[in-house]
Amino acid sequence: MTAERDEDFLEDQQENGVETNHYSSIPPSPSPEDQDEAFSTYFEQKVHIPDTGNQIFSFRKLWAFTGPGFLMSIAYLDPGNIESDLQSGAKAGFKLLWVLLGATIIGLLLQRLAARLGVVTGMHLAEVCNRQYPTVPRIILWLMVELAIIGSDMQEVIGCAIAFNLLSVGRIPLWAGVLITITDTFVFLFLDKYGLRKLEAFFGLLITIMAISFGYEYVIVKPDQGELLKGMFLPYCAGCGPVQLEQAVGIVGAVIMPHNIYLHSALVKSRDVDRKNKKDVKEANKYFFIESAVALFVSFLINVFVVAVFAEAFFNKTNMDVNAMCNATGSPHTDLFPMNNDTLEVDIYKGGVVLGCFFGPAALYIWAVGILAAGQSSTMTGTYSGQFVMEGFLNLRWSRFARVLLTRSIAIIPTLLVAIFQDVQHLTGMNDFLNVLQSLQLPFALIPILTFTSLTSIMNDFANGLVWKISGGILILMVCVINMYFVIVYVTALNSVLLYVLAALISVGYLCFVAYLAWHCLVALGVSCLDCGSRVTHFQTVLVFLINT
């Protein structure tokens, strides 16, 4: 039945004069009657878009579209990002704020592509990949994206566990915090049963808690506003060395996350947009872009709060400085900072401790509340990403509870193992490894999204123009190169010949698959000399026609 529907759709496209290559246009989604009655999705309710006539801009309509962008922006505020922010401030002061600003702007442009794909096609990126790529590449792509989600999920769950540990003054161990986070995530994920807008309001509450918590730290530390503005708008890093360069690369890797592209392309489907009406689709693209810009601006401000706090208070501080202050204030965590003149190194756990030493217990507990809100919200959106990716790539039609249970369970075992065998004070090394893991997966989101949004056979009149194709290609190439540099720096620092050999072997297969995706992308961008697939498809079509006649 699906094959017949696909063939009819393709015939209609050819009759209408739509040019196709080895990519097919996307067939319509299965009707509700074709789907299992037990199958339920995040999109059971769709938010109605009010009719405001021919107004150029309407705040009422913008409010109706508000929601998906803020859920997407949670990925820019997860514990991994917060840790990258505080390390940036502690190691480079205000000098890398311009990198954070640039990475956020690049992120907005990439999220725009994801939102447009969902609005125009009515399908999210995983579903499009499922229909457009052959079986083997599709399965590899799915596995790579799942790895990225697991890595992100581990950071988020452990971030919550660290927050519980700080709030309980060490009484709740890391493994118990992991179990609490996993349990309450199950509860919160079903809030959309009470209405999609209520779920979005809950995420808005968590973002507000983060803004208030980290904003409080910003107010009590009182960063130098002149240095802050200088660091944000002057793309220069005076006196910076390899440490600051690695931190700058780490900022880009932490901000732009692969699974977030898949998530955003799915979330926009929650709005009731008539995709047959070109005007409505164009309007939806406009309002989703505005909403995403506002959401990422809010997330950028929260990230700036964290960078500025640690830049002002802890840049160029030594372990001895912090040890002396913690001793003077009677902190029980003095042993975290050895008596030497090495530069202070902090993570989200030590960050809370040093805030408590310098600015009082309230600063520590408010910091922990902000980390808890960041971890809890990003854990929930990470689980949604896992559901969308699994449903799209594998075409699953399971019950909602079974899908949530499966996607949550995938990350439970590795996270629990880390929580049991790792001490809460020594998680920075694991966080670096998880950032590297996600950096490696970045091409598996960015290349497909540029590929499919550039194809007229999929996007029709909303396909990327020449400027977007070129600029998008350059941006994605730049982000991937930056992240690969981050990976190389990490691997070379391991100082193990065996690991070098293993990394080299893995790199061969990895680069071959990236080259395969890049070849498809170049064809989509209009490099017709590489499009051997369309010639083969055309030959097969002619051959089948001759045989049938």
Side-chain angles (χ1 to χ4, degrees):
M1 189 170 175
T2 304
E4 292 176 3
R5 185 165 55 242
D6 291 359
E7 288 176 8
D8 293 341
F9 185 81
L10 291 174
E11 287 175 7
D12 292 342
Q13 291 289 320
Q14 291 171 352
E15 288 174 7
N16 292 330
V18 177
E19 183 182 350
T20 61
N21 51 19
H22 64 282
Y23 291 97
S24 63
S25 301
I26 300 180
S29 301
S31 64
E33 298 83 34
D34 294 337
Q35 298 185 26
D36 187 348
E37 291 182 4
F39 180 68
S40 61
T41 73
Y42 172 88
F43 311 110
E44 286 180 337
Q45 301 176 6
K46 290 205 173 186
V47 176
H48 174 69
I49 306 301
D51 185 5
T52 56
N54 294 320
Q55 290 182 333
I56 296 175
F57 179 82
S58 164
F59 280 104
R60 185 177 165 215
K61 189 165 282 189
L62 177 62
W63 177 248
F65 281 103
T66 297
F70 281 90
L71 268 69
M72 168 273 297
S73 72
I74 293 293
Y76 291 73
L77 295 168
D78 72 349
N81 271 290
I82 300 301
E83 184 159 314
S84 174
D85 292 337
L86 64 89
Q87 289 175 349
S88 169
K91 292 179 181 179
F94 298 98
K95 298 173 185 175
L96 296 180
L97 278 172
W98 63 273
V99 178
L100 178 62
L101 176 62
T104 305
I105 293 172
I106 292 173
L108 173 62
L109 298 178
L110 296 173
Q111 299 296 160
R112 174 186 180 270
L113 296 180
R116 284 172 69 87
L117 181 73
V119 170
V120 173
T121 67
M123 302 179 72
H124 56 76
L125 180 56
E127 291 175 314
V128 178
C129 289
N130 180 41
R131 298 194 178 199
Q132 297 298 321
Y133 286 123
T135 303
V136 173
R138 183 171 70 238
I139 292 173
I140 296 174
L141 197 58
W142 167 64
L143 291 174
M144 294 298 100
V145 178
E146 286 291 351
L147 273 178
I149 293 173
I150 291 170
S152 174
D153 205 27
M154 288 179 69
Q155 286 180 312
E156 293 151 2
V157 172
I158 290 175
C160 282
I162 289 174
F164 282 124
N165 186 274
L166 287 171
L167 289 169
S168 65
V169 198
R171 293 188 182 91
I172 299 178
L174 202 59
W175 62 266
V178 168
L179 291 177
I180 293 171
T181 305
I182 290 167
T183 303
D184 61 29
T185 299
F186 273 113
V187 176
F188 291 140
L189 278 170
F190 288 94
L191 281 176
D192 63 341
K193 285 292 184 183
Y194 298 97
L196 189 57
R197 296 298 266 176
K198 290 185 176 66
L199 176 70
E200 292 173 347
F202 178 70
F203 277 99
L205 173 64
L206 293 175
I207 293 174
T208 303
I209 290 172
M210 281 184 265
I212 293 172
S213 301
F214 300 131
Y216 169 83
E217 310 287 356
Y218 184 85
V219 170
I220 63 169
V221 173
K222 298 176 183 176
D224 185 323
Q225 300 302 303
E227 287 296 314
L228 187 149
L229 292 174
K230 181 180 173 183
M232 191 179 298
F233 296 110
L234 285 181
Y236 181 68
C237 190
C240 291
V243 172
Q244 288 75 24
L245 177 60
E246 289 175 27
Q247 193 58 50
V249 172
I251 290 173
V252 178
V255 167
I256 303 170
M257 304 179 74
H259 68 276
N260 207 36
I261 303 294
Y262 287 86
L263 174 68
H264 198 194
S265 67
L267 291 174
V268 296
K269 291 169 58 180
S270 61
R271 269 44 187 181
D272 189 13
V273 177
D274 181 7
R275 297 198 320 278
K276 296 179 181 178
N277 188 321
K278 184 177 177 180
K279 179 188 172 188
D280 286 358
V281 173
K282 187 175 181 180
E283 190 175 63
N285 285 331
K286 177 181 77 173
Y287 281 106
F288 275 131
F289 180 71
I290 295 172
E291 187 239 359
S292 296
V294 173
L296 288 186
F297 177 71
V298 172
S299 74
F300 173 71
L301 286 182
I302 295 173
N303 283 317
V304 168
F305 289 162
V306 178
V307 175
V309 164
F310 283 83
E312 181 69 29
F314 306 114
F315 178 51
N316 280 337
K317 284 284 192 303
T318 65
N319 285 323
M320 192 172 289
D321 295 332
V322 178
N323 186 292
M325 181 60 74
C326 288
N327 262 324
T329 55
S331 170
H333 303 290
T334 309
D335 59 313
L336 288 176
F337 311 102
M339 293 291 290
N340 59 44
N341 283 318
D342 292 347
T343 304
L344 174 68
E345 291 189 7
V346 285
D347 50 32
I348 55 177
Y349 179 77
K350 290 180 182 177
V353 171
V354 293
L355 284 171
C357 291
F358 280 75
F359 302 102
L364 185 153
Y365 293 122
I366 291 172
W367 169 264
V369 169
I371 295 297
L372 182 60
Q376 187 61 71
S377 57
S378 55
T379 299
M380 292 170 64
T381 55
T383 304
Y384 275 125
S385 299
Q387 288 186 64
F388 296 139
V389 165
M390 195 165 287
E391 291 165 13
F393 277 108
L394 304 183
N395 198 27
L396 289 182
R397 288 295 179 267
W398 293 2
S399 69
R400 179 175 176 77
F401 179 78
R403 283 177 287 126
V404 172
L405 182 63
L406 177 61
T407 50
R408 286 297 324 139
S409 299
I410 286 176
I412 285 176
I413 295 176
T415 306
L416 269 179
L417 289 174
V418 168
I420 292 169
F421 295 108
Q422 273 276 27
D423 190 272
V424 69
Q425 294 97 333
H426 303 94
L427 289 170
T428 301
M430 189 209 67
N431 190 64
D432 290 342
F433 170 75
L434 293 176
N435 282 337
V436 167
L437 180 67
Q438 292 175 83
S439 296
L440 283 170
Q441 313 310 319
L442 205 52
F444 306 131
L446 302 189
I447 295 176
I449 196 65
L450 181 62
T451 299
F452 298 131
T453 53
S454 299
L455 284 167
T456 306
S457 58
I458 290 175
M459 299 290 288
N460 297 318
D461 294 339
F462 296 95
N464 295 330
L466 182 61
V467 173
W468 263 100
K469 288 179 180 179
I470 295 173
S471 58
I474 292 172
L475 282 178
I476 289 173
L477 179 62
M478 181 176 69
V479 170
C480 290
V481 168
I482 288 173
N483 279 274
M484 287 309 298
Y485 173 81
F486 180 55
V487 173
I488 292 169
V489 168
Y490 176 81
V491 172
T492 52
L494 296 176
N495 293 321
S496 170
V497 176
L498 180 61
L499 290 176
Y500 292 161
V501 173
L502 182 61
L505 293 175
I506 294 174
S507 297
V508 172
Y510 174 84
L511 292 174
C512 286
F513 187 57
V514 171
Y516 171 82
L517 295 177
W519 166 66
H520 278 263
C521 186
L522 288 171
V523 171
L525 293 176
V527 185
S528 56
C529 61
L530 299 177
D531 191 13
C532 55
S534 63
R535 291 192 289 272
V536 172
T537 303
H538 178 71
F539 173 76
Q540 290 173 339
T541 303
V542 172
L543 187 62
V544 170
F545 174 78
L546 292 173
I547 292 173
N548 290 336
T549 54

